[in-house]
Structure formats: structure tokens, C-alpha cells
Amino acid sequence: MSWTTLCELNDILPNSGRAALVDGEQVALFRIANNGEDKLFAISNYDPFSEANVLARGLVGSLQEQLVVASPIYKQHFNLATGQCLEDEAVRLKTWKVKLENGAIAIATEATVAA
């Protein structure tokens, strides 16, 4: 598996997201602080309901015991680990594997596409 380094960990504030352009596609990166440990997620930045690239600006939190981001436009919730929309089971976003190495965030060059 090949990886693309996107930014430093400190470029993303805890419990927030940032957008990145990877091979012409917008990706929303999220850093979630949990008990002193950072969890990193990457999902498509494209909100299929509003048809806008805005998910990196959404509010993060937990809902139904899942870490989610709420779209800033129509407020649908997307699971950060799977990309699944909680309000519409037919909608699932692309996700990418993420790793932290020497303080830098990298994502897999290929997204996981929903079945």
C-alpha cells in the first residue's frame, strides 16, 4: 500500500477537521482527541446532500456511540470510521486509511469505496 503525506499533526486542531486535495479529490481529515490520544480519520469532503465540499467544516462529536461529523449545511451525520450516513443507510462516503508517522499525517493513496 502506498501513502501520501498531507500535513503535520499540529496543523489540525484537536476535535476539528481540515480539507486536503489528493489526486484531484477533496478529502476531509479529522483529528479527534480521546483520553489524551489522537484518532485520525479521512473521509470524502463532498456532502452528497448539499452537493458541496464542506464536511471538513462540520461539527464532530458522537451519536449513537459512533464518532461522527455533522454536515454544516443540512446536518446529516457521517460515521468518521466508515463514512456511513446515520440518517440514510443508502449513503456512504469514501474513506481512507490514515497513519501518523514522525508527527506527519499520511493517507493511503486509494480510498475504500462503499459496497
Side-chain angles (χ1 to χ4, degrees):
M1 177 179 309
S2 53
W3 297 85
T4 300
T5 300
L6 297 178
C7 63
E8 297 295 315
L9 179 64
N10 291 332
D11 292 334
I12 304 175
L13 295 173
N15 301 316
S16 68
R18 294 287 298 258
L21 190 61
V22 180
D23 294 329
E25 185 167 4
Q26 289 196 30
V27 175
L29 290 173
F30 294 94
R31 176 183 176 188
I32 307 300
N34 189 3
N35 296 326
E37 181 182 335
D38 289 312
K39 292 186 178 187
L40 301 171
F41 301 93
I43 63 173
S44 175
N45 195 37
Y46 182 75
D47 175 4
F49 296 97
S50 66
E51 299 181 350
N53 288 300
V54 295
L55 291 178
R57 295 182 180 182
L59 295 175
V60 294
S62 61
L63 189 62
Q64 300 171 6
E65 298 182 25
Q66 301 175 60
L67 291 175
V68 297
V69 61
S71 170
I73 302 204
Y74 295 125
K75 311 303 184 231
Q76 283 85 0
H77 298 89
F78 297 92
N79 181 303
L80 290 173
T82 66
Q84 180 64 54
C85 177
L86 274 58
E87 289 80 14
D88 186 340
E89 67 184 38
V91 177
R92 183 180 293 229
L93 305 175
K94 288 182 186 178
T95 62
W96 286 261
K97 292 183 180 185
V98 184
K99 70 177 181 177
L100 180 64
E101 193 167 65
N102 299 322
I105 298 173
I107 67 168
T109 53
E110 301 219 3
T112 301
V113 180

